[in-house]
Amino acid sequence: MADSKQIGGWRISVDTGGTFTDVVVADDAGRFTIGKALSTPDRIFNGLSAALANAAGSLGLGLAEVLGRSGILIYGTTRATNAIVTGNIAKTAFLTTAGFPDVLVLREGGKFNPHDFSTPYPAPYLPRRHTFEITERIDSRGRVLLPLDEAAARATLHTLRKRRFEAIAVSLLWSIANPVHEQRLGALIEEALPGLPYTLGHALNPILREYRRASSTAIDASIKPLMQVHLRDLQADLREAGYRGEILVSTTMGGCLDVDSVIPRPIHTVRSGPAMAPVAGRRYAALEEQQESVLVVDTGGTTFDVSLIRDGRISIAQDTWLGGQFTGHMLGIPAVDARSVGAGGGSIAWLDPAGLLRVGPRSAGAKPGPACYRLGGRLPTVTDAALVLGYIDPDYFLGGRMRLDVAAARAAIEAVGAPLGLSVEAAAYSIFAVSNETMINAIKDITVSEGIDPGEAAIVAGGGAAGFGILPIARELRCRRVIVPRTASVLSACGMQFSDIQLECSASVPTRSTNFDRARVNAALTGIDVQLDAFAARLAARGFGERRTAYRVDAHYAAQVWDIGVELPAPRFAQDAEVAALIEAFHANHRRIFSVEDPASPIEFLNWTGRVSVSLPQQAAARLVPEGPPTGAVGTRRALFDEHEPRDAAVYRGDRIRVGDEIAGPAIVEEATTTLVLPPGTRARLMPTGSYLVEIDF
């Protein structure tokens, strides 16, 4: 197997969000250089190249020189997620077995309270009129009960051509037991509609649960036209700019894949941005010897994302909903468990019909952006509030590259403050308080509801807006320690630097603990290994090296509905001892999650998954050393830390702080791409790892 050091040179990671495009360039010594620019949705490479040029300028190089020195570029984007949330997807046909046209309509129930008739039943992901029934039937054992009616299928495809459908999702009943009919439909699609994107459910997500497989198939097909063009354009633009290295894409599992593997399966880019923040958070927490419970928060321009790390492991969700549970749409594939709420730096403050102040979920985005950006925005945002409260120096935003308009921010906030009888400052503080409360509730959702005391966890705070309000949030949650990396504004892009290339393959083999079918399970695991080995071999041929393989199964007690994941004690079940170990592992997981177990009940094992992780070459983290005497504050600024009077806060510039310096609040630490606000009763110390370790007094 090729040594991973063959993939040499610098490494670039890119995270394109709704407001900013973030770039991190890692050199041979592991030093990170940050670049930022406003995102350009019309042509993503424009924002990417601007951010990369910004980083290159900090290195004293040109854009072409940085690209020429780099061997790996990892790209993450919110484009797929935004397309799904806004409904900006391709016109997609859903082909399913005759007699089962309402799989996407009925989903897994539509709301928590089925007798609440004031709440309308949610619409399906694809309109019901875009569903077409295919005459065929296979049973749960894979036996063909009714052959595929090819003449009728051809007629359906002719209808799709006439109605100008742009993509096709195919999810037939029990295709996971025998895919012959789905495979034949794929051949007919290529024959009748050459070039039209399509997705076959058994090939994308071969799991037992019809709705989840159908939903993931529909989502994947619906974003294929958009994402395939997007990724191919990105490839072409990078090559034209002179980049010759590997292009990887971040995925929803917290890893990355080569771009050629993602293009056929773009569903893996959905929610891939939030998935990378905990990868970075785990690394930064470990550097500060925080190994138990860690909360990773990422406050961007549009959303606030929170994820949980326990004992060094990132929490993975099997049930990932895009939107509200039951009312949204099921992603259908495992994903990093990151809870998102519409509360970021660009979140808009508004008054509801009852006259109450609300913040988010609507965001001003990159254009027109907050009012203070002077790009045409008129509505008040959290960033405008931070400017009015004195947290931001209008002449030092993005290290001085962008001047903010204080008067525009005050005018925007006055529009919501005046009807409430509040001064501009009081309205700005109220915007922060409401926004922080939304974030606190999101943190409680992922901790308290899971039986975890947030006060016992450390917080790693990232995102360009994280430093504004994270310490009041931590105080409310009784968290004593907060880690704010100097690279906080590009947390997700940093996570890509620490990620592995990962691929998962699955097979559905239902079996029970009381009658465990070792032969069928082992055969399925062997089939999974064939796919994983081929993928790893392809990467090895390109210079990527060390690999690790792990296996898990989704299981539940008989008569239960929801599954939990269990890691396999061995790659094969050669003896009954391995089966017994798996059964005990399930009981232990169930006890940990639900505080109860039922050893007398049989266990149903359903979906078997193998994951191969291929390590990217990693440099040792560059550590800072003290340089010169402490320089102290560069001045003071009046800032509002509570609902009372403004106070004088000492202002520090990040490039003038040395390792070990301790800063006591009230103070404001200004880095080039983020700001850390220290209220009274807090103190921060710059660590050799390049993070600020903040402690809070109670």
Side-chain angles (χ1 to χ4, degrees):
M1 187 170 289
D3 188 87
S4 63
K5 293 181 180 179
Q6 291 182 20
I7 303 295
W10 293 5
R11 186 183 307 173
I12 301 169
S13 54
V14 182
D15 179 34
T16 57
T19 305
F20 284 100
T21 293
D22 301 334
V23 162
V24 174
V25 178
D27 64 16
D28 293 328
R31 291 183 294 261
F32 286 2
T33 302
I34 296 173
K36 260 185 179 291
L38 290 173
S39 295
T40 51
D42 52 336
R43 188 73 174 184
I44 209 69
F45 184 74
N46 294 337
L48 187 159
S49 59
L52 190 53
N54 173 236
S58 299
L59 292 165
L61 301 172
L63 173 62
E65 291 176 282
V66 171
L67 290 174
R69 295 188 184 191
S70 301
I72 296 175
L73 185 145
I74 309 172
Y75 175 69
T77 178
T78 60
R79 176 159 291 212
T81 306
N82 293 342
I84 294 167
V85 171
T86 61
N88 187 28
I89 58 176
K91 182 179 180 181
T92 306
F94 177 59
L95 275 54
T96 190
T97 302
F100 297 86
D102 294 318
V103 174
L104 296 179
V105 175
L106 299 177
R107 55 186 80 196
E108 291 176 350
K111 49 192 175 183
F112 283 105
N113 184 357
H115 302 294
D116 177 12
F117 296 108
S118 64
T119 302
Y121 196 87
Y125 181 72
L126 300 177
R128 176 65 171 74
R129 64 184 182 278
H130 291 175
T131 295
F132 298 85
E133 298 180 61
I134 300 298
T135 302
E136 65 86 37
R137 189 63 184 272
I138 290 173
D139 70 6
S140 60
R141 296 184 181 181
R143 296 176 300 187
V144 176
L145 302 182
L146 181 64
L148 175 67
D149 188 335
E150 293 197 12
R154 292 178 189 276
T156 297
L157 296 178
H158 178 71
T159 300
L160 301 187
R161 181 171 58 248
K162 287 176 56 179
R163 292 176 55 179
R164 299 182 182 277
F165 278 91
E166 299 168 321
I168 301 174
V170 182
S171 184
L172 303 180
L173 196 67
W174 292 114
S175 61
I176 54 173
N178 184 351
V180 60
H181 289 171
E182 278 196 3
Q183 291 170 341
R184 182 55 184 157
L185 267 177
L188 292 176
I189 291 170
E190 293 181 2
E191 176 186 316
L193 300 166
L196 191 76
Y198 69 92
T199 300
L200 304 181
H202 81 276
L204 175 73
N205 192 18
I207 61 170
L208 186 73
R209 290 194 186 278
E210 185 65 13
Y211 166 67
R212 299 184 181 204
R213 186 169 70 256
S215 182
S216 60
T217 304
I219 290 171
D220 184 74
S222 72
I223 60 175
K224 267 185 174 172
L226 171 74
M227 292 305 298
Q228 289 184 340
V229 170
H230 174 70
L231 293 173
R232 286 168 178 151
D233 283 350
L234 176 68
Q235 278 184 296
D237 288 339
L238 284 169
R239 299 307 184 201
E240 186 177 346
Y243 178 67
R244 295 293 176 264
E246 294 282 347
I247 301 175
L248 308 177
V249 180
S250 65
T251 67
T252 189
M253 279 293 295
C256 54
L257 280 171
D258 59 300
V259 67
D260 292 329
S261 296
V262 174
I263 286 175
R265 294 173 284 189
I267 190 173
H268 292 291
T269 67
V270 178
R271 292 185 55 80
S272 60
M276 283 297 173
V279 177
R282 177 174 59 185
R283 178 66 171 265
Y284 289 131
L287 289 174
E288 304 304 335
E289 299 182 351
Q290 299 290 328
Q291 297 287 351
E292 296 182 0
S293 295
V294 179
L295 288 165
V296 182
V297 301
D298 188 7
T299 314
T302 304
T303 61
F304 172 84
D305 304 312
V306 58
S307 50
L308 178 66
I309 299 171
R310 301 181 69 177
D311 299 322
R313 295 186 177 185
I314 298 172
S315 179
I316 301 294
Q318 305 297 318
D319 307 328
T320 304
W321 291 88
L322 301 174
Q325 188 174 7
F326 300 126
T327 58
H329 307 294
M330 171 64 74
L331 191 60
I333 59 176
V336 169
D337 188 6
R339 314 289 170 90
S340 300
V341 292
S347 295
I348 295 171
W350 53 286
L351 301 180
D352 68 13
L356 299 177
L357 179 65
R358 308 285 188 183
V359 179
R362 193 157 64 97
S363 173
K367 292 183 180 180
C372 62
Y373 281 12
R374 299 190 295 183
L375 296 175
R378 297 281 189 275
L379 300 176
T381 67
V382 172
T383 298
D384 294 310
L387 184 60
V388 169
L389 292 173
Y391 299 165
I392 303 175
D393 182 346
D395 297 321
Y396 196 67
F397 192 70
L398 292 183
R401 291 192 294 122
M402 185 175 181
R403 179 176 173 80
L404 302 183
D405 190 335
V406 179
R410 294 183 65 88
I413 290 176
E414 185 178 18
V416 295
L420 299 174
L422 299 175
S423 66
V424 173
E425 288 75 14
Y429 185 80
S430 297
I431 290 171
F432 250 88
V434 172
S435 177
N436 285 354
E437 191 63 30
T438 301
M439 298 177 187
I440 288 169
N441 289 336
I443 293 174
K444 288 181 177 178
D445 181 51
I446 204 171
T447 54
V448 175
S449 62
E450 300 288 338
I452 297 171
D453 179 3
E456 297 178 356
I459 294 178
V460 176
F468 296 148
I470 190 58
L471 298 184
I473 290 171
R475 186 184 295 277
E476 179 71 19
L477 295 168
R478 308 292 293 179
C479 296
R480 293 186 176 275
R481 308 188 85 190
V482 178
I483 300 166
V484 183
R486 300 180 83 173
T487 56
S489 65
V490 291
L491 192 67
S492 290
C494 288
M496 298 176 201
Q497 295 282 348
F498 307 132
S499 63
D500 295 332
I501 302 177
Q502 295 179 350
L503 178 72
E504 285 197 348
C505 296
S506 300
S508 178
V509 179
T511 189
R512 281 198 172 198
S513 57
T514 52
N515 188 25
F516 194 87
D517 193 336
R518 292 210 316 257
R520 288 185 63 220
V521 170
N522 285 337
L525 292 172
T526 298
I528 288 171
D529 273 348
V530 169
Q531 300 176 67
L532 298 181
D533 289 345
F535 175 76
R538 183 161 55 86
L539 291 178
R542 289 156 58 179
F544 294 98
E546 180 186 351
R547 61 170 285 185
R548 303 177 307 282
T549 307
Y551 306 87
R552 71 173 186 275
V553 61
D554 299 333
H556 58 240
Y557 285 123
Q560 279 188 327
V561 177
W562 307 115
D563 304 324
I564 61 174
V566 184
E567 291 190 7
L568 271 57
R572 295 292 187 275
F573 295 91
Q575 303 176 44
D576 290 341
E578 285 93 349
V579 178
L582 177 62
I583 292 170
E584 179 52 39
F586 174 85
H587 290 315
N589 272 22
H590 201 279
R591 182 171 60 249
R592 176 182 59 81
I593 297 171
F594 301 110
S595 300
V596 67
E597 60 180 310
D598 185 11
S601 290
I603 303 166
E604 292 185 336
F605 300 100
L606 303 176
N607 304 309
W608 305 82
T609 301
R611 178 199 293 186
V612 63
S613 298
V614 178
S615 299
L616 295 178
Q618 293 287 344
Q619 296 287 346
R623 298 180 71 85
L624 305 178
V625 295
E627 293 183 0
T631 56
V634 297
T636 61
R637 188 160 67 239
R638 299 285 283 176
L640 191 66
F641 296 97
D642 52 39
E643 64 272 19
H644 305 300
E645 292 295 320
R647 305 179 61 168
D648 286 329
V651 178
Y652 296 80
R653 291 283 168 85
D655 57 0
R656 296 167 64 90
I657 300 173
R658 73 171 196 172
V659 173
D661 285 355
E662 185 167 289
I663 301 169
I668 297 171
V669 179
E670 296 177 337
E671 292 284 347
T673 57
T674 192
T675 299
L676 174 59
V677 178
L678 296 169
T682 65
R683 57 192 181 278
R685 185 169 69 256
L686 180 61
M687 307 299 288
T689 56
S691 293
Y692 293 100
L693 182 62
V694 186
E695 296 184 337
I696 302 172
D697 297 330
F698 291 100

